């Protein structure tokens, strides 16, 4: 008898900490906090869709195109996304892969970002600029969950790859990449301070040449 593992769901989680990272990261966090104060349109959008926190998703969602600091972050993320795409065995020969959206998130304790996906891109991710102790993880949902129907519950000691939900801890300087169709959320958590992250999407262009 042969048991085969099919249709894997890949998540990349790695540190972007490099020499000089600390000052760069502090600058990113400071700029996110400044946006939370100055971006009136973003605060209005957040009051309706991001209760208790701030996100520039509804107002300034291409920060890499308007801020040299966020563009510097993009340049660090670009090669990691391309490496991740190769791990997924996508045929991107002759096609461009580029960041299309980039936005800031500032989450105090208790703020929730409920289950969602990113339907207009193929790779999405988050970079953590500030993570207080106890701040919530990024929680992923098994994409087959709605089709389990009559399946019994998993054992408590089931390996991570068999669980219905998996949380990826948030840590300053860490980057998390995933395919954009994968549902995810940030559950509520109790902590002191603000959880500051930068989220983004990547898209691929139609074939240009072979």
């Amino acid at each position: 008898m042969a048991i085969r593992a099919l249709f894997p769901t890949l998540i990349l989680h790695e540190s972007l900490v490099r020499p000089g990272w600390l000052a760069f990261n502090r600058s990113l966090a400071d700029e996110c906090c400044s946006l939370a104060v100055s971006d009136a349109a973003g605060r209005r959008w957040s009051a309706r869709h991001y209760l208790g926190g701030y996100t520039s998703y509804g107002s300034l969602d291409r920060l890499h195109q308007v801020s040299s600091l966020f563009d510097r972050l993009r340049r660090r993320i670009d090669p990691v996304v391309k490496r991740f795409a190769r791990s997924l065995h996508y045929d991107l020969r002759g096609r461009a892969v580029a960041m299309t959206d980039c936005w800031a998130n500032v989450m105090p304790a208790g703020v929730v970002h409920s289950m969602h996906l990113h339907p207009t891109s193929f790779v999405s991710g988050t970079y953590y600029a500030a993570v207080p102790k106890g701040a919530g993880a990024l929680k992923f949902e098994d994409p087959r969950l709605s089709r389990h129907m009559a399946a019994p519950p998993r054992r408590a000691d089931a390996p991570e790859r068999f669980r219905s939900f998996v949380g990826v801890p948030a840590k300053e300087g860490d980057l998390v990449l995933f395919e954009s169709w994968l549902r995810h959320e940030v559950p509520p958590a109790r902590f002191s301070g603000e959880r500051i992250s930068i989220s983004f999407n990547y898209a691929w262009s139609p074939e240009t040449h072979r």
Side-chain angles (χ1 to χ4, degrees):
M1 180 183 71
I3 296 177
R4 301 161 66 187
L6 301 177
F7 314 119
T9 301
L10 303 187
I11 296 171
L12 182 148
H13 183 197
E14 70 175 53
S15 173
L16 292 189
V17 174
R18 302 290 186 274
W21 162 82
L22 186 58
F24 171 67
N25 212 53
R26 285 176 176 167
S27 296
L28 273 174
D30 288 346
E31 188 156 339
C32 290
C33 290
S34 295
L35 287 170
V37 173
S38 63
D39 179 17
R43 291 200 309 274
R44 288 193 297 270
W45 194 93
S46 299
R48 297 191 301 272
H49 305 286
Y50 208 73
L51 298 179
Y54 164 80
T55 177
S56 70
Y57 179 78
S59 53
L60 299 169
D61 61 351
R62 296 185 178 182
L63 291 172
H64 61 299
Q65 296 181 0
V66 298
S67 163
S68 60
L69 194 62
F70 283 89
D71 187 57
R72 184 177 166 192
L73 177 64
R74 176 198 61 77
R75 293 197 301 271
R76 293 190 181 190
I77 295 172
D78 277 356
V80 186
V81 169
K82 291 175 182 176
R83 172 159 45 90
F84 183 52
R86 287 194 296 272
S87 299
L88 294 164
H89 296 277
Y90 284 122
D91 183 0
L92 294 169
R93 292 171 297 175
R95 308 174 193 272
V97 174
M99 181 182 286
T100 54
D101 314 288
C102 178
W103 63 97
N105 310 293
V106 180
M107 301 180 71
V111 176
V112 178
H113 196 186
S114 58
M115 278 290 177
H116 64 286
L117 48 77
H118 299 211
T120 60
S121 53
F122 86 108
V123 168
S124 298
T126 297
Y127 172 78
Y128 296 104
V131 184
K133 184 178 180 179
L138 181 58
K139 180 179 175 183
F140 292 99
E141 177 187 82
D142 182 344
R144 306 163 301 173
L145 193 59
S146 64
R147 296 173 176 82
H148 282 182
M149 294 172 284
R154 302 282 188 190
R155 296 199 312 264
D157 63 349
E160 182 181 74
R161 65 185 182 276
F162 286 99
R163 297 175 191 167
S164 297
F165 299 95
V166 175
V168 175
K171 182 181 177 183
E172 289 181 17
D174 277 9
L175 173 71
V176 179
L177 299 179
F178 50 91
E179 292 190 79
S180 302
W181 50 259
L182 183 61
R183 277 167 43 99
H184 55 285
E185 70 174 354
V186 181
R190 293 182 178 180
F191 55 91
S192 177
E194 294 176 321
R195 180 184 188 274
I196 301 174
S197 62
I198 295 103
S199 298
F200 49 84
N201 293 321
Y202 276 75
W204 58 277
S205 70
E207 186 175 26
T208 56
H209 64 275
R210 279 284 192 179

